[in-house]
């Protein structure tokens, strides 16, 4: 990103340059990581940027807020209006993402329990985004493994991301795209992605629940697998199964679905992106094209 990167952002009812947005130091997000966030992908279309799976992202934001007992500052229509304005205000021509963060608000003094009578802090920005290139998809990416040492509310999309930050740094220091985490010998997820394996033509995903964040791509990949006739199982996946997989892939808003071809320096299956990945990636592009054209039709 260039140094003049200064999108127009939303902070507590005010739109202005990112470089001028300020929060008080006693914001609970800053002091305790007491907040949640969302990342919605935006795709460049001939009619401007359009979100993908927005309904599902807003539903997850509502669930995350509910789980940490912050009153949702907006209803669905309110969020949609804000997001539409964020897109309009930041009308670049490339792909992008909308970042939304809601914290419990600003306290008068530091203390762990919820302060009474404070309003949530709401922040939103649009950042340009480059999806993985066709070349990187043809090759596949490297991943490394590590023990999952996070808390047991990984289902909440919390801004308390220290565990994930350390795992992302571990990947970066090992020249890998992602760290794949294991807890008690079972696959959980990446630092910022869900992880899928293929064995004997079957697609397997770690169980939804408190050990992983249910990506918006989780249900999507289930749908895409069904569409492509790929049997899918949501169940515990052992470390041995991970290391013996025919294919491994990760999914996230910013990576879509991405093949992992090297795990801890060992080739995954044939060491090339596999047929299940290819089928899911194609189905993903079709689902996206359908939804983006519906968005364009509604916008006209
Ligand atoms: N797990 C974690 C820990 C994540 O940060 C993400 C990215 N938000 C995901 C899974 C994938 O979620 P999504 O498909 O909604 O991007």
């Amino acid at each position: 990103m260039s140094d003049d990167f200064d999108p127009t952002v939303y902070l507590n009812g005010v739109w202005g340059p990112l470089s001028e947005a300020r929060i008080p130091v006693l914001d609970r997000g800053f002091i305790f990581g007491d907040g949640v966030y969302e990342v919605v992908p935006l795709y460049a279309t001939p009619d401007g940027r359009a979100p993908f799976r927005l309904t599902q992202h807003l539903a997850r934001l509502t669930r995350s807020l509910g789980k940490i007992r912050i009153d949702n500052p907006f209803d669905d229509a309110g969020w949609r209006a804000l997001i539409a304005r964020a897109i309009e205000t930041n009308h670049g021509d490339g792909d992008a993402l909308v970042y939304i963060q809601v914290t419990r608000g600003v306290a008068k003094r530091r203390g762990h329990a919820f302060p009474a009578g404070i309003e949530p802090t709401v922040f939103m920005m649009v950042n340009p985004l480059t999806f993985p290139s066709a070349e990187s998809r043809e090759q596949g990416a490297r991943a490394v493994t590590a023990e999952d040492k996070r808390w047991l509310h990984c289902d909440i999309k919390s801004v308390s991301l220290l565990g994930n930050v350390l795992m992302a740094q571990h990947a970066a220091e090992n020249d890998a795209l992602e760290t794949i985490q294991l807890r008690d010998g079972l696959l959980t997820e990446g630092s910022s992605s869900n992880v899928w394996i293929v064995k004997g033509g079957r697609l397997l995903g770690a169980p939804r629940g408190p050990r992983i964040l249910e990506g918006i791509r989780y249900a999507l990949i289930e749908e895409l697998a069904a569409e492509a006739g790929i049997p899918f199982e949501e169940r515990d996946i052992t470390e041995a199964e991970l290391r013996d997989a025919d294919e491994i892939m990760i999914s996230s808003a910013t990576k879509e679905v991405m093949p992992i071809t090297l795990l801890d320096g060992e080739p995954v299956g044939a060491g090339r992106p596999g047929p299940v990945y290819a089928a899911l990636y194609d189905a993903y592009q079709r689902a996206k094209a359908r939804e983006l054209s519906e968005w364009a039709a509604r916008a006209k």
Side-chain angles (χ1 to χ4, degrees):
M1 243 161 250
S2 64
D3 287 337
D4 57 4
F5 175 69
D6 199 15
T8 301
V9 304
Y10 173 89
L11 180 62
N12 295 332
V14 178
W15 294 88
L18 175 62
S19 58
E20 289 171 21
R22 298 280 180 276
I23 55 157
V25 289
L26 283 185
D27 190 281
R28 302 269 305 188
F30 177 62
I31 292 286
F32 294 118
D34 185 0
V36 296
Y37 73 109
E38 262 306 320
V39 175
V40 186
L42 296 179
Y43 289 92
T45 77
D47 306 300
R49 289 168 168 167
F52 181 50
R53 297 268 144 158
L54 178 57
T55 304
Q56 292 83 347
H57 280 281
L58 290 179
R60 184 172 65 184
L61 178 60
T62 299
R63 286 200 303 278
S64 295
L65 288 166
K67 284 174 180 178
I68 68 165
R69 295 158 59 196
I70 293 179
D71 287 338
N72 197 335
F74 297 104
D75 60 13
D76 204 65
W79 281 117
R80 284 174 184 273
L82 267 188
I83 290 167
R85 172 116 183 239
I87 296 173
E88 261 170 48
T89 315
N90 293 276
H91 53 80
D93 50 10
D95 299 324
L97 59 83
V98 187
Y99 177 85
I100 303 167
Q101 178 169 331
V102 182
T103 76
R104 197 172 306 280
V106 182
K108 291 232 161 40
R109 58 181 52 133
R110 186 178 178 277
H112 290 53
F114 305 167
I118 61 170
E119 293 293 315
T121 299
V122 180
F123 172 62
M124 186 181 295
M125 66 179 170
V126 173
N127 284 359
L129 176 69
T130 308
F131 288 98
S133 65
E135 301 78 65
S136 68
R137 296 188 167 285
E138 268 161 40
Q139 248 207 322
R142 298 159 190 263
V144 287
T145 58
E147 181 67 20
D148 192 340
K149 295 187 178 150
R150 299 172 303 160
W151 72 334
L152 285 168
H153 283 297
C154 300
D155 53 316
I156 302 172
K157 202 164 168 59
S158 158
V159 295
S160 303
L161 283 171
L162 189 51
N164 307 59
V165 164
L166 294 174
M167 290 294 103
Q169 183 61 18
H170 180 64
E173 287 172 1
N174 285 282
D175 195 22
L177 181 67
E178 182 59 297
T179 299
I180 294 180
Q181 302 172 94
L182 294 146
R183 194 192 285 273
D184 303 329
L186 300 176
L187 170 65
T188 57
E189 63 179 346
S191 71
S192 58
S193 61
N194 290 119
V195 179
W196 310 85
I197 75 163
V198 177
K199 192 68 194 174
R202 302 179 79 76
L203 178 69
L204 308 180
R208 293 168 168 99
R211 291 164 177 245
I212 67 167
L213 179 77
E214 182 185 339
I216 298 309
R217 269 127 289 278
Y218 201 114
L220 174 62
I221 283 177
E222 277 183 307
E223 283 168 36
L224 302 179
E227 185 186 311
I230 299 161
F232 170 69
E233 259 182 86
E234 175 179 347
R235 68 155 168 85
D236 283 337
I237 297 163
T238 65
E239 179 167 0
E241 287 177 307
L242 174 70
R243 297 199 186 278
D244 192 41
D246 300 331
E247 298 180 39
I248 300 176
M249 56 201 110
I250 60 172
S251 65
S252 74
T254 58
K255 302 283 181 304
E256 301 188 324
V257 52
M258 180 75 191
I260 300 297
T261 47
L262 208 64
L263 183 69
D264 291 335
E266 297 291 327
V268 176
R272 290 187 301 276
V276 171
Y277 159 72
L280 290 176
Y281 181 71
D282 285 352
Y284 196 113
Q285 302 315 308
R286 286 196 298 274
K288 206 165 79 185
R290 276 198 301 273
E291 193 172 309
L292 296 180
S293 65
E294 282 163 21
W295 177 271
R298 271 202 307 275
K300 272 176 190 162

